[in-house]
Amino acid sequence: MSISSRKNTQPVLVGTVKVGGGAPIVVQSMTNTDTADVSGTVEQIRALANAGSELVRITVNSEAAAQAVYEIRNQLTKNGFSVPIIGDFHFNGHKLLEKYPDCAAALDKYRINPGNVGRGKSRDPQFQQMIEFACQYNKPVRIGVNGGSLDQAVLTRLLDDNRKQAQPLPLSAITREAIVLSALESAAKAQELGLGKDKIILSCKISNVQELISIYQDLANRCDYALHLGLTEAGMGSKGIVASAAALSVLMQQGIGDTIRISLTPEPGAARTKEVLVAQEILQTMGFRAFTPMVIACPGCGRTTSDYFQTLARDIQAFLREQMPVWKEKYSGVETMEVAVMGCVVNGPGESKNANIGISLPGTGESPVAPVYEDGVKTVTLKGDFIAQEFQSLVERYIESHYGQ
């Protein structure tokens, strides 16, 4: 299952991945390793790709990082990983692309921030150099404007014009316009320099949800470039997840956005892959794409004083995710399956019947039996000490019989 973005954007090919032009919304992520650490970066890219990241961005901020890019690509290819790699350039990208042609050729896309390619008279020549390298190596470019590094020349120009107006607009409105205009003017300049529209992706990221929504709505109304969505500096844990989901869901529901990244601050020691799972879950819960079978589980109440159903829901969800790399090669459509794990008789049988396969566990004081439903029909009633293991076996059997060749 996949629902394409409804906006008719110009398609861009990043490696072998199509972004925009009616393609399903693409999930991407970014490493947080030192790119000069080849083995560490390769390991994290592999983990992100295995988790489902379809594009991976890496920092290219130094000569050591630029020198490492070719070997990173080489090792990934040797290990069977073709995930496109994006080079994230700031300040010195023009120098690195010139000095390290292997880096320029190995990357699948360049990311340029108009506010960080140079100041004053140096800005245009440095931006031009980077676009010329993109043309030379036939690479797409994301022109990514960030509120925290906005091109001050654009903002100053708009503020000067605004002061001359009889009714000046508030600073917030001028800042939003500066962000959008920076992206559009930079894209127009890139096209003047020979970069095709089919090589340009735009993004305009800030960390305020309502401002982000307004900016992207404006941007989408003023261009048909492919758009990358993300709430920058979203934050840690539930705050980052909720804020990202709130912003991106509104925009995607309006048909805005062709590729997304969830910019979570990782918990200390936590895997970088969490941002990929969050992106997938946002897309899947909204019905845009399907990545892994979904587990429906009740929140629990006074009728479910045991944590048995919680443990089973957690274990089944982990089991489904762990098996997906194998299942997606063997079982076509298995990612659309729904599994229900319910805790008592109130909604248990009904929700279980509505899922592809579901189990209704006994609540407090209920008979110690657990009916299992497949496609709305009760097929077996489980009891005893091995309900969890038996239900997992039933899920595997259902997948094989319904999604096998």
Side-chain angles (χ1 to χ4, degrees):
M1 176 184 66
S2 65
I3 301 174
S4 302
S5 171
R6 290 172 291 174
K7 185 172 174 60
N8 186 26
T9 52
Q10 173 69 48
V12 178
L13 198 61
V14 182
T16 58
V17 176
K18 182 181 178 183
V19 177
I25 298 168
V26 174
V27 173
Q28 63 177 277
S29 56
M30 184 175 183
T31 60
N32 61 356
T33 56
D34 180 354
T35 305
D37 174 8
V38 173
S39 60
T41 301
V42 167
E43 183 179 349
Q44 191 171 83
I45 292 172
R46 291 174 61 181
L48 291 167
N50 282 331
S53 185
E54 294 156 307
L55 303 173
V56 177
R57 183 158 45 112
I58 62 175
T59 298
V60 187
N61 62 331
S62 66
E63 293 197 14
Q67 286 177 301
V69 169
Y70 175 80
E71 184 57 27
I72 289 169
R73 176 75 277 171
N74 186 42
Q75 289 195 21
L76 287 168
T77 301
K78 283 183 177 179
N79 285 280
F81 286 83
S82 59
V83 59
I85 304 300
I86 303 159
D88 190 68
F89 294 99
H90 295 272
F91 310 114
N92 60 352
H94 60 297
K95 295 180 180 179
L96 297 175
L97 289 172
E98 180 177 26
K99 189 169 183 178
Y100 299 99
D102 284 350
C103 168
L107 292 168
D108 294 284
K109 188 177 78 171
Y110 308 154
R111 192 272 189 170
I112 304 173
N113 183 336
N116 287 341
V117 293
R119 301 292 187 214
K121 294 181 180 179
S122 66
R123 181 193 179 281
D124 287 346
Q126 291 181 16
F127 180 81
Q128 179 173 334
Q129 276 185 273
M130 296 196 71
I131 297 301
E132 287 173 347
F133 285 123
C135 294
Q136 178 183 343
Y137 292 99
N138 195 30
K139 305 296 183 181
V141 170
R142 171 159 73 95
I143 297 174
V145 180
N146 274 58
S149 51
L150 177 60
D151 186 348
Q152 293 303 300
V154 175
L155 180 59
T156 300
R157 188 180 83 220
L158 293 180
L159 288 172
D160 289 343
D161 291 342
N162 189 54
R163 279 192 287 268
K164 300 173 185 176
Q165 303 302 314
Q167 294 182 320
L169 295 171
L171 177 60
S172 59
I174 299 300
T175 302
R176 288 196 302 270
E177 174 64 12
I179 291 172
V180 172
L181 203 58
S182 177
L184 294 175
E185 289 183 348
S186 296
K189 181 65 174 177
Q191 285 193 252
E192 289 175 17
L193 294 168
L195 192 67
K197 182 177 279 191
D198 65 340
K199 298 291 185 184
I200 298 174
I201 297 174
L202 298 186
S203 68
C204 291
K205 291 186 174 184
I206 58 172
S207 56
N208 180 282
V209 170
Q210 293 295 349
E211 293 285 292
L212 186 86
I213 292 170
S214 296
I215 286 169
Y216 270 100
Q217 288 171 333
D218 189 15
L219 182 64
N221 285 331
R222 292 163 67 173
C223 75
D224 63 353
Y225 295 108
L227 300 181
H228 166 86
L229 297 188
L231 184 78
T232 194
E233 292 96 32
M236 183 179 285
S238 60
K239 185 271 177 186
I241 295 171
V242 171
S244 295
L248 273 57
S249 297
V250 170
L251 291 166
M252 291 189 294
Q253 190 66 27
Q254 296 173 3
I256 299 170
D258 302 289
T259 176
I260 67 170
R261 185 208 171 188
I262 307 301
S263 300
L264 293 181
T265 303
E267 301 280 354
R272 187 69 162 178
T273 52
K274 186 172 183 178
E275 66 177 47
V276 179
L277 301 183
V278 172
Q280 290 179 331
E281 287 171 355
I282 292 172
L283 289 172
Q284 185 152 354
T285 54
M286 290 190 68
F288 287 112
R289 293 187 65 182
F291 299 94
T292 191
M294 294 283 281
V295 175
I296 300 165
C298 65
C301 65
R303 297 182 180 86
T304 56
T305 52
S306 166
D307 65 357
Y308 190 86
F309 88 94
Q310 299 164 345
T311 302
L312 179 57
R314 181 199 63 197
D315 292 348
I316 287 292
Q317 185 162 282
F319 170 70
L320 295 173
R321 280 205 172 275
E322 288 169 2
Q323 295 301 312
M324 269 308 295
V326 176
W327 286 348
K328 69 181 179 182
E329 304 297 332
K330 294 176 60 178
Y331 303 122
S332 177
V334 67
E335 67 275 4
T336 65
M337 187 175 77
E338 291 186 348
V339 180
V341 179
M342 305 301 293
C344 76
V345 74
V346 174
N347 291 319
E351 292 288 354
S352 297
K353 289 177 183 177
N354 288 332
N356 295 98
I357 181 170
I359 186 169
S360 179
L361 295 164
T364 305
E366 295 177 10
S367 299
V369 295
V372 174
Y373 298 83
E374 297 182 22
D375 299 321
V377 177
K378 186 168 78 170
T379 56
V380 66
T381 299
L382 303 180
K383 60 182 70 175
D385 298 329
F386 300 101
I387 288 176
Q389 297 92 318
E390 291 172 7
F391 181 64
Q392 182 171 303
S393 296
L394 290 172
V395 171
E396 290 185 272
R397 192 183 311 163
Y398 182 94
I399 290 170
E400 187 170 345
S401 64
H402 286 72
Y403 299 99
Q405 296 297 328

